Amino acid sequence: MVNSFDVARLAGVSQSTVSRALRGDSKVSERTRTLVADAAKTLGYVPNLAGRALSSGRTNRIGLLVTDLSNEFYHRLIGPVVDRVDEHQHEVVLLADNQSTSDIPNRIISLGLDGVILATTTTDSVIPYKLREKNIPFVYFNRIAPAVPADAAVIDLTDGMQDLVNAIKRNGYKRVGAILGPKNATTGTLRANIFFELLAQNEIFVPFDYRVNGDFSIPAGLEGFQELMSREVPPDVIFCANDVVAMGAINAAHVYDIKVPEDVALVGFDDLPEAKWPIFSLSTVGFDLEKLAAVAVDLLFERIENPEADFKTVELPSYYVTRKSLP
Amino acid sequence: MVNSFDVARLAGVSQSTVSRALRGDSKVSERTRTLVADAAKTLGYVPNLAGRALSSGRTNRIGLLVTDLSNEFYHRLIGPVVDRVDEHQHEVVLLADNQSTSDIPNRIISLGLDGVILATTTTDSVIPYKLREKNIPFVYFNRIAPAVPADAAVIDLTDGMQDLVNAIKRNGYKRVGAILGPKNATTGTLRANIFFELLAQNEIFVPFDYRVNGDFSIPAGLEGFQELMSREVPPDVIFCANDVVAMGAINAAHVYDIKVPEDVALVGFDDLPEAKWPIFSLSTVGFDLEKLAAVAVDLLFERIENPEADFKTVELPSYYVTRKSLP
């Protein structure tokens, strides 16, 4: 079996230079890197990353922690995260909060991950505390838990929400309903609060019996829609906690033959690829999910390189996109 | 920092017994395992898996190789695979064939994965050769590449396809169209061949201009549907390579105001959760995806334990489910 000493001999450099060149150490010159790469290629040498983990104390693995792997939002997040981590020549280990068999904080610790992207939705999680205690770098994705400060990639909701409220006013809707996320999810409550506040500035108020809570899933949208539309006077527009919930609501409308937007308008959040599907044609407040994923991954790698740097929050803008569900 | 020697002292066993007990070695008695687990818990000891990888030569990581992380089929596969691998106390590293920056076979090798689930769709891949050459255990998911024999978890198409053909006969459809997968995908061609053969036994033939090829995606369904429905005499039923393609077709029907099933019936394959959504209500040939994922994972772990055992193919049955798109 070819090893790094063989590569060093052929390239005419030391073994430690081979090792540094192959892991992309920036102190190795471009010329040396090419020499080493050519020698490795000629000999068919493939570096052993487990061995590398030993010598560097790093594993080249990043954890992505999500709430639920069956949820359509997370499906759309995984690809962009894997792509960006791949550009950093690391791998993604997938972890789900709802795995019943696992003690997630201890598993993350025992895996020796180089860092973790926290894309779970709940604020009452013990995970950030545990990771900080063990000095494991992490970044918040699309949320902040104020109790444990850390780097964060988040959305500035102002632009998108303001344009949504303008659209509601323009259409003359008077009865605004909302299918909100779980009460312990920052992402959802933050969205709802800004939305309600901007509405209030326009003298539009959302009564409590026009608000229902669910869990960001298709069934939550189905049930929330049914519930709101069974009020004696149903809403004329429904704000959904995210696009997945809105997709559930449109399915319910289909079942009960309620016309969207003629009988009730619907709006989501996230601008997932599904929102563009003609069958949904969902108006929604969106953001650049691929970019947010890339920002989160990059923040995490900066943190790994500079553990002592000040924490950074990077905000991406939101936008409102008009489709058929809210004209 | 607490280490395994501290745990050994408290449990009254040797350090190597602690190590074996914590990695689930079956030669350690249930009583000793409990003793060690209690001691580890009392001391707050978390084993270091990177260190374990050293001593055992194993990394506790399984690769899942998919074609494309943006594809809805793979979204539904990831959760069940992660869940089952989690039950084996291993982690999943996600790899996508279409990652442009990566040389997948060499990456798999350099990652030192304990094994790989090959869920890619193409038959012309060099990956199985490379893995075999390097003695890395792997299992085929939902496909077989005859050139490199290996364990496989596959679907027996007979029952589902026969019932689909019966449904086509029962409805009296005469003009059967098909939006097929890529020509180099075994999964798609196998499905198509069995379908065409069973139809032929019933004197129903699918002319070549009623067959189009796509890539198992929503756009492939949109385009394939448009193309078939623009024939001078369009088909009265369309078989889609999978549910994702069928979802694309239903979206196209929505755009062109073509009624499903009144103007044309549609049928998919996979029985994804989306097929049940009222807005699609897709008749489809399905199988137990969670179970197939579990079978593949279990086969892989058997292979890891017994590298020399004969190769096994486990077949799960298929079924046909009638929904509104093909009554």
Side-chain angles (χ1 to χ4, degrees):
Chain A
M1 186 108 171
V2 178
N3 63 35
S4 57
F5 290 93
D6 301 321
V7 176
R9 233 178 336 259
L10 183 61
V13 300
S14 71
Q15 185 271 339
S16 69
T17 302
V18 168
S19 161
R20 286 191 295 126
L22 291 178
R23 74 166 175 263
D25 186 328
S26 57
K27 283 170 215 135
V28 177
S29 74
E30 194 51 47
R31 191 176 156 272
T32 306
R33 212 187 304 238
T34 311
L35 269 176
V36 169
D38 288 349
K41 203 174 165 191
T42 306
L43 297 172
Y45 172 70
V46 179
N48 180 324
L49 294 182
R52 180 185 295 178
L54 284 186
S55 61
S56 67
R58 287 180 48 181
T59 58
N60 293 298
R61 294 198 304 284
I62 297 298
L64 171 61
L65 179 64
V66 306
T67 302
D68 173 5
L69 282 170
S70 72
N71 186 283
E72 293 78 5
F73 172 76
Y74 290 116
H75 293 162
R76 299 298 179 180
L77 174 62
I78 292 170
V81 168
V82 169
D83 284 347
R84 191 62 162 204
V85 170
D86 183 54
E87 286 175 30
H88 287 272
Q89 299 185 293
H90 279 54
E91 315 300 319
V92 172
V93 172
L94 263 185
L95 301 159
D97 235 358
N98 65 344
Q99 279 165 9
S100 54
T101 60
S102 58
D103 169 3
I104 285 285
N106 279 334
R107 268 181 67 204
I108 291 177
I109 292 159
S110 73
L111 284 168
L113 299 172
D114 289 344
V116 184
I117 296 165
L118 294 184
T120 44
T121 49
T122 50
T123 50
D124 45 13
S125 163
V126 74
I127 295 169
Y129 292 94
K130 292 260 193 174
L131 295 180
R132 181 58 44 79
E133 199 179 272
K134 297 283 180 180
N135 278 317
I136 296 175
F138 66 92
V139 57
Y140 292 119
F141 179 84
N142 200 10
R143 64 174 276 239
I144 294 180
V148 187
D151 300 305
V154 298
I155 307 299
D156 178 350
L157 298 168
T158 325
D159 288 354
M161 285 297 188
Q162 185 61 62
D163 285 350
L164 163 59
V165 169
N166 293 344
I168 287 174
K169 276 176 59 188
R170 190 175 58 238
N171 279 280
Y173 296 127
K174 297 273 181 273
R175 302 184 308 280
V176 182
I179 308 173
L180 304 170
K183 285 184 176 165
N184 63 348
T186 35
T187 42
T189 45
L190 193 63
R191 267 171 224 170
N193 289 344
I194 291 183
F195 177 60
F196 292 152
E197 196 182 302
L198 290 172
L199 281 177
Q201 290 174 10
N202 290 279
E203 309 286 320
I204 302 174
F205 303 95
V206 182
F208 283 104
D209 68 336
Y210 272 17
R211 305 180 191 192
V212 295
N213 286 88
D215 66 357
F216 291 127
S217 71
I218 296 276
L222 279 158
E223 288 159 25
F225 184 87
Q226 268 177 266
E227 195 177 330
L228 290 179
M229 295 308 288
S230 66
R231 300 276 181 266
E232 210 179 306
V233 183
D236 51 17
V237 59
I238 296 177
F239 171 79
C240 299
N242 72 5
D243 287 353
V244 176
V245 170
M247 284 151 59
I250 292 180
N251 270 289
H254 184 86
V255 172
Y256 296 102
D257 207 13
I258 295 172
K259 291 202 173 14
V260 178
E262 293 82 354
D263 299 333
V264 62
L266 280 171
V267 60
F269 189 100
D270 283 332
D271 199 17
L272 296 184
E274 289 90 335
K276 294 180 192 69
W277 292 359
I279 209 159
F280 292 121
S281 191
L282 181 65
S283 300
T284 184
V285 176
F287 59 96
D288 189 333
L289 179 58
E290 281 181 34
K291 195 164 172 191
L292 196 71
V295 164
V297 170
D298 292 352
L299 279 173
L300 185 58
F301 278 96
E302 283 176 36
R303 175 62 44 198
I304 293 168
E305 293 300 324
N306 300 301
E308 304 302 327
D310 290 343
F311 293 122
K312 250 198 272 187
T313 293
V314 177
E315 271 192 336
L316 292 190
S318 59
Y319 56 81
Y320 175 69
V321 49
T322 304
R323 298 199 183 92
K324 288 185 188 162
S325 75
L326 197 164
Chain B
M1 184 112 169
V2 178
N3 63 36
S4 57
F5 290 94
D6 302 321
V7 178
R9 234 177 337 258
L10 183 62
V13 300
S14 69
Q15 185 271 340
S16 68
T17 302
V18 168
S19 161
R20 286 189 296 125
L22 292 178
R23 76 167 173 262
D25 186 329
S26 59
K27 283 168 215 137
V28 177
S29 75
E30 193 51 47
R31 189 176 158 274
T32 305
R33 213 186 303 236
T34 311
L35 268 176
V36 170
D38 288 350
K41 202 174 164 190
T42 306
L43 297 173
Y45 172 70
V46 179
N48 180 324
L49 295 183
R52 179 185 296 179
L54 285 186
S55 62
S56 67
R58 286 180 49 179
T59 58
N60 294 297
R61 293 198 303 283
I62 297 299
L64 171 61
L65 179 64
V66 306
T67 302
D68 174 5
L69 282 169
S70 72
N71 187 285
E72 293 79 5
F73 173 76
Y74 290 116
H75 294 162
R76 299 299 179 180
L77 173 62
I78 292 170
V81 168
V82 169
D83 284 348
R84 190 63 162 205
V85 170
D86 183 54
E87 287 175 30
H88 287 272
Q89 299 185 293
H90 279 53
E91 314 300 320
V92 171
V93 172
L94 262 186
L95 300 159
D97 234 359
N98 65 344
Q99 277 165 8
S100 54
T101 59
S102 58
D103 169 3
I104 286 284
N106 279 335
R107 269 182 65 204
I108 292 177
I109 292 159
S110 72
L111 284 167
L113 300 171
D114 289 344
V116 183
I117 297 165
L118 294 183
T120 43
T121 49
T122 50
T123 49
D124 43 13
S125 163
V126 73
I127 294 169
Y129 292 93
K130 291 261 194 174
L131 295 180
R132 180 58 45 78
E133 199 180 275
K134 298 284 180 180
N135 278 317
I136 296 175
F138 66 91
V139 58
Y140 293 119
F141 179 83
N142 200 10
R143 64 174 277 238
I144 293 180
V148 187
D151 299 306
V154 298
I155 308 298
D156 179 349
L157 298 168
T158 325
D159 288 355
M161 285 297 188
Q162 184 62 63
D163 285 349
L164 163 59
V165 168
N166 292 344
I168 287 174
K169 276 176 59 187
R170 191 175 58 238
N171 280 280
Y173 297 126
K174 296 274 180 272
R175 301 183 309 279
V176 182
I179 307 174
L180 304 171
K183 284 183 178 168
N184 63 348
T186 33
T187 41
T189 46
L190 192 63
R191 267 170 224 169
N193 290 344
I194 291 182
F195 178 61
F196 293 152
E197 196 181 302
L198 290 172
L199 281 178
Q201 290 173 12
N202 290 279
E203 309 286 318
I204 302 174
F205 303 96
V206 182
F208 283 105
D209 67 335
Y210 272 19
R211 305 180 190 192
V212 294
N213 287 87
D215 66 358
F216 291 127
S217 70
I218 296 278
L222 279 158
E223 288 159 25
F225 184 86
Q226 267 177 268
E227 194 178 331
L228 289 178
M229 295 309 286
S230 66
R231 299 276 182 266
E232 210 179 307
V233 183
D236 52 16
V237 59
I238 296 177
F239 170 79
C240 298
N242 72 5
D243 286 354
V244 176
V245 170
M247 284 151 58
I250 292 180
N251 270 289
H254 185 84
V255 172
Y256 296 101
D257 207 14
I258 294 171
K259 291 202 172 17
V260 177
E262 294 81 355
D263 299 332
V264 63
L266 280 171
V267 60
F269 189 100
D270 283 333
D271 199 17
L272 295 184
E274 289 90 335
K276 294 181 193 72
W277 292 359
I279 208 158
F280 292 121
S281 191
L282 181 65
S283 300
T284 184
V285 176
F287 60 95
D288 189 333
L289 178 59
E290 280 180 36
K291 195 165 171 191
L292 196 71
V295 164
V297 170
D298 292 352
L299 279 173
L300 185 58
F301 278 95
E302 284 176 36
R303 175 62 44 197
I304 292 168
E305 293 300 324
N306 300 300
E308 304 302 327
D310 290 343
F311 293 122
K312 251 198 271 186
T313 293
V314 177
E315 271 191 335
L316 291 191
S318 59
Y319 57 83
Y320 175 68
V321 49
T322 304
R323 299 199 182 94
K324 288 185 188 161
S325 75
L326 196 163

